[in-house]
Amino acid sequence: MGLKKKMLWNICKILESKNSKKYLIELEDNLVIEIGEILHNGYIHLCISSQVGCPVNCIHCATTYSDIAFFRNITFDELNDIV
């Protein structure tokens, strides 16, 4: 039997609307990212953060409307673990 792998994240909150869900993911260092799940034309689209915070300020992103500054990029291990 192999050793059980430690998760690098956990879901801390789920926000739902008619055609979408937003998962707030707490990383191992207590920083939070979001993952969006959007149902459109019969397909599920996923939007997975690759950064904690963001310097771009896209108008469709919830990070833009908060005071979250850019902290760091998501590590390969974190992203691989989430996917």
Side-chain angles (χ1 to χ4, degrees):
M1 300 226 140
L3 296 173
K4 189 172 185 178
K5 182 181 171 191
K6 180 184 177 200
M7 299 295 282
L8 301 176
W9 59 275
N10 68 340
I11 297 173
C12 57
K13 190 171 191 177
I14 300 173
L15 306 167
E16 296 186 57
S17 66
K18 183 179 178 184
N19 291 321
S20 67
K21 286 184 185 178
K22 184 185 295 184
Y23 301 88
L24 299 182
I25 307 294
E26 184 177 14
L27 302 173
E28 193 172 34
D29 59 3
N30 299 321
L31 294 173
V32 176
I33 63 169
E34 61 187 39
I35 294 177
E37 175 185 315
I38 304 154
L39 178 62
H40 180 69
N41 291 335
Y43 294 94
I44 295 174
H45 303 267
L46 293 177
C47 179
I48 301 173
S49 295
S50 61
Q51 301 173 321
V52 178
C54 184
V56 177
N57 295 327
C58 299
I59 60 171
H60 65 274
C61 182
T63 303
T64 299
Y65 303 107
S66 68
D67 294 328
I68 301 172
F70 174 75
F71 286 99
R72 64 176 178 82
N73 290 319
I74 303 299
T75 67
F76 171 81
D77 289 335
E78 289 170 331
L79 189 58
N80 190 49
D81 195 41
I82 290 169
V83 173

